[in-house]
Amino acid sequence: MDDTPIPNAAYAYEYCPHTAPVCIAESQPKPDGDFVRSVRWSPDGSALAAASESGALEIHDLSDVVAAYYTTEIGVSTGIGLPALTIPHAAGGLLAYAWYPYMHAQAPETCCLIESTRDHPVHLRDTLTGRVRASYRAHDDKDTLLSATALAFDA
């Protein structure tokens, strides 16, 4: 294989670069004391979902960062900037979230994740618009709504 760059190399799964990108992240608390609790990469590497202490779920579009890796010198720092989408939840309310395993940024219908919040049904949420695509309710024998503490897709 030659070393010529492939357009949209981040989406060419058969292409394996000799040196993989390295991500070193550093987070400082926001002025209001909020901070990131967990982060999950999208399966295609084009987005990042970050849950904060305040309960917000931020979706960051990383397509420009990935493209910059393949077009700039090794070691050049690229920043993430403001989130493309912020989904507010009550503090401590976001219990779990997971990307759709076949998510691909170039297929908008696959850009979604599931999320579970305290005292609400599980939502399948569109990560481009923030809208709820579907809701899934689990009830116990007394018809009390249950909140999922872990989520996964059956791939």
Side-chain angles (χ1 to χ4, degrees), residues 83-149:
L85 177 67
T86 300
I87 304 162
H89 297 291
L94 185 63
L95 301 175
Y97 60 103
W99 286 98
Y100 175 60
Y102 302 108
M103 183 269 187
H104 196 288
Q106 294 176 346
E109 66 276 6
T110 67
C111 296
C112 61
L113 53 75
I114 52 175
E115 63 181 19
S116 175
T117 55
R118 192 174 320 279
D119 301 325
H120 288 87
V122 171
H123 292 301
L124 177 66
R125 191 168 299 267
D126 189 306
T127 56
L128 299 175
T129 65
R131 295 181 20 211
V132 174
R133 291 186 184 176
S135 294
Y136 308 95
R137 297 177 184 272
H139 296 274
D140 65 8
D141 59 343
K142 295 181 178 114
D143 206 29
T144 304
L145 181 66
L146 301 174
S147 299
T149 56

Side-chain angles (χ1 to χ4, degrees), residues 17-72:
H18 297 287
T19 57
V22 176
C23 177
I24 300 174
E26 183 177 274
S27 177
Q28 298 294 325
K30 297 177 183 176
D32 61 0
D34 194 17
F35 58 91
V36 174
R37 291 181 56 213
S38 65
V39 175
R40 292 195 175 59
W41 291 95
S42 66
D44 71 343
S46 68
L48 187 70
S52 68
E53 181 64 20
S54 69
L57 183 61
E58 297 177 344
I59 308 298
H60 295 269
D61 179 7
L62 301 179
S63 53
D64 291 341
V65 175
V66 172
Y69 172 78
Y70 291 100
T71 59
T72 61

